Amino acid sequence: MSQSSGVSLSLPLVGDANASFSPADMKGKVWMLNIWAPWCVSCRQEHPVLMQIAKSGRIPIVGLNWKDQDREASSLLARTGSPYVAVPED
């Protein structure tokens, strides 16, 4: 077994620069990480499935917003609904 290096990853949350997400926030829980972007066609196609998973309550989903240079994530999620318990951005 390896020991932790003590390095902690923390990313700002979409729509709230004062809040952040760290994988440590989910320590001890089973959760899903979905990497997505508003410009990603495949991501838009999988969105209804993620909404169904979230609605079932079986597993929390964290959505890493990737390379969203136009900062469209907040408005897109407001229109389509968010399946995510947290939306950190890179």
Side-chain angles (χ1 to χ4, degrees):
M1 297 194 106
S2 64
Q3 292 184 339
S4 172
S5 65
V7 175
S8 169
L9 171 70
S10 182
L11 297 171
L13 292 180
V14 167
D16 188 352
N18 295 322
S20 64
F21 171 80
S22 170
D25 298 339
M26 304 300 278
K27 186 174 182 174
K29 300 177 184 176
V30 174
W31 55 286
M32 177 192 303
L33 176 64
N34 182 56
I35 301 172
W36 71 286
W39 49 263
C40 171
V41 174
S42 298
C43 299
R44 289 180 188 232
Q45 292 173 337
E46 75 184 5
H47 188 79
V49 174
L50 294 174
M51 291 296 287
Q52 288 177 349
I53 293 169
K55 188 176 181 179
S56 77
R58 296 184 70 190
I59 186 167
I61 307 169
V62 173
L64 176 63
N65 182 34
W66 187 59
K67 294 187 180 183
D68 181 10
Q69 296 175 352
D70 295 328
R71 302 288 186 243
E72 296 177 17
S74 290
S75 61
L76 178 64
L77 293 175
R79 286 191 316 270
T80 62
S82 177
Y84 307 117
V85 295
V87 185
E89 60 185 344
D90 66 349

